[in-house]
Amino acid sequence: MFWKFDLHTSSHLEALLDKEDVTLIELMDEEDVLQECKAQNRRLLLFVCQDQCMQDLVHMITTEPPTGVEEIMRFKYPNIACELLTCDVGVINDKLGNEEPLLETLYAFLEQPSPLNPLLASFFSKTIGNLITRKTEQVISFLRRKEGFLSLVLKHIDTSAMMDVLLRLISCVEPPPLRLETLIWLNEEKLAQRLIELIHPGRDEERQSNASQTLCDIIRLSRDQANQLQEISQPDPLLTVLESQECVEQLLQNMFSAESTESCIINGIQVILTLLEIRRPVVDGVMDAQGFERSYTVNSSILLAIQPHLIHFHQLLLEPPKRNPMLTSLGVLEEPLGNTRLHVARLVASLLYTSSASHAVVAQELCRLNTMDLLLDLFFKYTWNNFLHLQVELCVATLIETPSEPSATPENSAHNLMVTHLFQHCHLVQRILEAWEENDKIQSEGGMRRGYMGHLTRIANTVVHNLEKGPVHTQISSLITELPEDYRGRWETFVDQTLSETNRKNTIDLVKTHTCSSTVYNKDDMESPFPKELTLQQAFSDYQIQQMTANFVDQFGFNDEEFTDHDDTVFETCSKERIQPFDDDEEDIWEEKEIKFAAQTKSRNR
């Protein structure tokens, strides 16, 4: 490979370094300056690590470049400067991390007024993040001496790069004792509480969203690192605060204040959903990246804080923030479901999954509010919203698939109460039967299959499966038996015939081994359960062939207008104009004839 021995670029850099008046900009204009730095080019590193050069590099990534040039050229040198400072070369890291004047210049970027330039902010975040990883003790010590550091970062939290700075401090500090010391410092600075304060209706949406995302990331990172901190036998102070009842209550108070906004509610729910996350050991055979089984237990204080506010979430399902009518492919939706109600449905599903057989207060309150009945109403009202359908399906599945623990009698009562509530007060079986019959009627009249039918099929199968051998099959069997005689008979017929036939069709392969001698498919020849879809697929394939044929003809100079189905003379005329005519008289093709090239050429040139 010849390029291995091409020393032209290197020799050009060496020639520049030989110049007495060579400038940093001249070197940065070289394409391979970054590659040479990473390759530990000694002369280049000695030049770059000079005090003035390092100051210039830091200045480039923290100062707005002059205007008047194209954006791509305007940030050329700041971008190269950032790459040089973060190329992970030891001498550059040492110079930048050990020289306090350079750290002061870098830190001064945070003292600029809002809003920060997002591109420069990303350069700053990448540089300080690299230093936190490579020069941990020096940088942490420097930042801790800055009293207003955290305030400045939170001031600029509307710039997403600032989130990365905080997460670096939490996840990239080694060894574990130093990390714990850093977490204690951040907790003493009340990082968690101050981020929660930013999720408030009085804050702009970008600031709320970034604060919410930062909190979610902190929770996940803290839980993932919990095993490492166990060596020091001290809990993660940030996670302890975030899981406290006081902290969750403060978040909920912000969400449901008098001037509450949709943005505040959604961002708050996202934090609560993260707090409620449970990873059960080996779900479907999946383990974490290290090959260990992980599961997290939700602190009961979180549920205790949520329980008094369940009525507010229920009210959001009844009266969500006003939304304008939405034009969809099926017409105008006068009252869209909205992101708020979808997030509330996700929260209810998560609460049921988290609190089943362990926390009676949540289950009892959801029964009292009749929240499951309301969610089922929305399930059938919003026929085409599969995001909602999935959450309602998860709620039903959680209730009837979760086993009860015999050792905890009060909790068993709460769980049994929810199952009874689902069948008796929410009329789950009756709703399934009526919705299915309504869909069959609509389809028989030529209408479209309801959008929730796939999820309704899964819900029905879940009920049937758990009726036979589920953890609460005895209770479900008893509740089915208590149905009115009419519904009980319809349910048995539905399970034995309709549902069984639907399951049979759903398990048939889409493409069967049936062979066809032609690319034209007739309905009588189709054995797939989805003939319409295959017909559409074939029609599209035919359309593509038509398009190719049309293009193929166009490339040879013919137009559709030149041909008709009833006039062959036009075709013959066009052919004679474009193709060398042949004499139709019978003759011996092997007979020697005088070849006249000029005439042939003239004929073809026509």
Side-chain angles (χ1 to χ4, degrees):
M1 297 185 180
F2 301 109
W3 56 84
K4 284 187 176 180
F5 308 101
D6 183 6
L7 304 178
H8 172 75
T9 304
S10 178
S11 62
H12 194 258
L13 268 174
E14 294 293 335
L16 281 176
L17 291 169
D18 286 336
K19 291 172 55 179
E20 293 185 2
D21 57 348
V22 63
T23 64
L24 179 62
I25 295 297
E26 286 181 289
L27 291 173
M28 294 174 73
D29 282 331
E30 290 298 312
E31 292 183 0
D32 285 357
V33 63
L34 181 60
Q35 180 181 336
E36 287 296 312
C37 266
K38 292 181 177 180
Q40 307 285 333
N41 185 313
R42 189 179 63 85
R43 294 184 65 197
L44 178 60
L45 291 177
L46 286 174
F47 182 90
V48 170
C49 289
Q50 294 179 85
D51 291 344
Q52 188 57 50
C53 287
M54 290 295 291
Q55 279 287 353
D56 290 344
L57 290 173
V58 175
H59 186 267
M60 287 180 190
I61 68 169
T62 57
T63 307
E64 195 82 21
T67 57
V69 295
E70 290 184 37
E71 200 74 4
I72 190 171
M73 293 302 299
R74 187 171 171 233
F75 288 95
K76 172 187 174 182
Y77 295 114
N79 180 55
I80 297 174
C82 177
E83 293 299 319
L84 288 171
L85 291 172
T86 60
C87 66
D88 207 16
V89 174
V91 291
I92 295 179
N93 291 336
D94 292 341
K95 182 72 175 179
L96 188 56
N98 295 332
E99 297 286 337
E100 191 150 323
L102 293 175
L103 292 176
E104 290 285 356
T105 304
L106 187 63
Y107 182 84
F109 178 75
L110 292 175
E111 297 172 338
Q112 297 180 16
S114 295
L116 297 176
N117 181 299
L119 192 53
L120 292 180
S122 69
F123 296 154
F124 168 84
S125 174
K126 185 176 181 180
T127 304
I128 197 74
N130 181 68
L131 288 176
I132 290 172
T133 304
R134 299 302 180 192
K135 305 296 292 182
T136 308
E137 292 186 15
Q138 296 90 329
V139 175
I140 295 296
S141 175
F142 172 80
L143 294 177
R144 292 187 66 174
R145 295 198 301 271
K146 297 291 184 180
E147 292 185 4
F149 165 69
L150 204 56
S151 298
L152 289 173
V153 172
L154 296 177
K155 172 187 173 183
H156 299 302
I157 198 69
D158 54 331
T159 305
S160 57
M162 292 299 108
M163 296 192 300
D164 297 333
V165 175
L166 292 175
L167 297 178
R168 286 275 187 173
L169 287 171
I170 292 169
S171 62
C172 296
V173 176
E174 295 290 346
L178 181 57
R179 181 191 307 152
L180 180 60
E181 186 180 332
T182 303
L183 293 175
I184 292 173
W185 163 55
L186 293 173
N187 189 50
E188 290 173 350
E189 294 289 324
K190 299 192 179 300
L191 173 61
Q193 295 90 327
R194 292 162 79 172
L195 283 169
I196 287 175
E197 288 175 4
L198 295 176
I199 305 177
H200 190 278
R203 305 286 186 172
D204 61 86
E205 292 188 8
E206 193 68 28
R207 196 175 297 273
Q208 290 185 52
S209 176
N210 287 350
S212 172
Q213 185 61 53
T214 304
L215 284 169
C216 293
D217 290 339
I218 289 174
I219 294 166
R220 295 188 179 106
L221 285 170
S222 297
R223 286 176 173 172
D224 288 342
Q225 294 176 348
N227 292 335
Q228 299 178 36
L229 287 176
Q230 283 178 1
E231 301 171 4
I232 317 174
S233 70
Q234 288 194 38
D236 185 314
L238 284 179
L239 184 60
T240 301
V241 169
L242 285 169
E243 290 182 337
S244 67
Q245 185 170 344
E246 295 78 14
C247 206
V248 179
E249 285 176 349
Q250 183 59 54
L251 175 62
L252 290 163
Q253 287 174 11
N254 291 352
M255 292 166 56
F256 295 110
S257 61
E259 64 276 13
S260 181
T261 62
E262 183 174 31
S263 173
C264 183
I265 292 170
I266 291 173
N267 286 309
I269 290 177
Q270 287 174 346
V271 176
I272 295 173
L273 286 172
T274 307
L275 286 170
L276 294 175
E277 278 182 358
I278 294 179
R279 297 184 189 179
R280 290 193 171 183
V282 193
V283 178
D284 296 329
V286 177
M287 298 184 182
D288 68 3
Q290 288 76 34
F292 296 105
E293 302 174 4
R294 286 187 180 180
S295 63
Y296 304 115
T297 303
V298 173
N299 196 316
S300 60
S301 60
I302 300 171
L303 295 170
L304 290 174
I306 294 173
Q307 187 266 334
H309 293 275
L310 287 176
I311 187 171
H312 297 135
F313 289 113
H314 183 86
Q315 195 63 28
L316 284 173
L317 292 175
L318 292 170
E319 299 178 7
K322 296 296 181 183
R323 302 185 68 87
N324 296 325
M326 178 184 297
L327 180 63
T328 70
S329 58
L330 295 168
V332 177
L333 189 60
E334 293 295 337
E335 185 186 354
L337 177 74
N339 206 8
T340 298
R341 286 198 283 191
L342 180 60
H343 271 74
V344 173
R346 289 181 59 199
L347 178 61
V348 173
S350 184
L351 283 170
L352 289 173
Y353 182 68
T354 302
S355 62
S356 292
S358 59
H359 297 282
V361 290
V362 172
Q364 291 171 348
E365 183 65 10
L366 289 173
C367 285
R368 189 186 71 80
L369 293 170
N370 209 16
T371 302
M372 271 305 304
D373 191 51
L374 179 53
L375 284 175
L376 285 168
D377 288 341
L378 295 174
F379 179 96
F380 294 109
K381 177 180 178 180
Y382 292 95
T383 309
W384 310 106
N385 196 319
N386 290 149
F387 297 106
L388 172 66
H389 301 156
L390 173 61
Q391 299 307 320
V392 176
E393 180 194 336
L394 291 174
C395 290
V396 174
T398 298
L399 288 175
I400 64 180
E401 288 183 346
T402 303
S404 299
E405 297 179 8
S407 59
T409 304
E411 285 74 15
N412 283 349
S413 301
H415 183 251
N416 292 341
L417 176 65
M418 285 296 296
V419 175
T420 302
H421 177 80
L422 182 64
F423 283 88
Q424 289 187 346
H425 298 278
C426 301
H427 307 292
L428 179 63
V429 170
Q430 293 92 322
R431 284 177 183 264
I432 293 173
L433 293 172
E434 291 167 2
W436 204 289
E437 291 166 2
E438 181 186 1
N439 176 75
D440 287 346
K441 180 182 177 182
I442 291 172
Q443 285 193 279
S444 66
E445 296 172 353
M448 292 180 63
R449 184 173 185 260
R450 302 290 87 182
Y452 51 66
M453 288 304 295
H455 290 281
L456 192 65
T457 302
R458 287 159 60 105
I459 290 174
N461 281 321
T462 300
V463 173
V464 173
H465 174 76
N466 285 276
L467 177 62
E468 295 172 354
K469 52 182 179 181
V472 288
H473 66 93
T474 303
Q475 184 184 3
I476 295 176
S477 178
S478 174
L479 291 168
I480 296 291
T481 305
E482 293 173 5
L483 288 172
E485 184 176 350
D486 175 44
Y487 279 107
R488 190 168 64 251
R490 287 163 61 188
W491 172 256
E492 291 173 356
T493 303
F494 167 77
V495 172
D496 294 338
Q497 299 178 14
T498 308
L499 185 61
S500 177
E501 176 63 15
T502 300
N503 291 334
R504 186 190 69 79
K505 289 181 177 180
N506 289 341
T507 55
I508 296 176
D509 292 336
L510 183 62
V511 179
K512 303 199 65 138
T513 56
H514 180 72
T515 58
C516 298
S517 58
S518 170
T519 56
V520 179
Y521 296 92
N522 297 320
K523 285 188 177 180
D524 295 338
D525 296 331
M526 304 282 290
E527 296 187 13
S528 165
F530 307 108
K532 183 177 179 181
E533 285 77 2
L534 282 181
T535 304
L536 292 174
Q537 184 179 2
Q538 179 63 28
F540 179 71
S541 178
D542 292 341
Y543 167 77
Q544 288 180 307
I545 294 174
Q546 290 173 1
Q547 291 294 100
M548 181 207 70
T549 307
N551 293 335
F552 183 82
V553 174
D554 289 341
Q555 289 173 0
F556 283 83
F558 296 104
N559 297 320
D560 292 340
E561 291 78 15
E562 298 182 28
F563 302 96
T564 63
D565 296 333
H566 309 289
D567 191 356
D568 294 333
T569 60
V570 177
F571 174 78
E572 292 174 2
T573 303
C574 294
S575 299
K576 288 177 181 179
E577 289 180 359
R578 290 171 168 81
I579 304 175
Q580 169 64 28
F582 293 93
D583 193 352
D584 292 332
D585 294 337
E586 293 184 7
E587 57 182 343
D588 186 358
I589 61 173
W590 302 107
E591 182 182 352
E592 293 185 4
K593 294 183 180 180
E594 181 182 359
I595 300 175
K596 297 180 180 180
F597 293 102
Q600 293 285 350
T601 305
K602 182 177 179 181
S603 175
R604 293 186 184 276
N605 285 341
R606 289 191 306 174

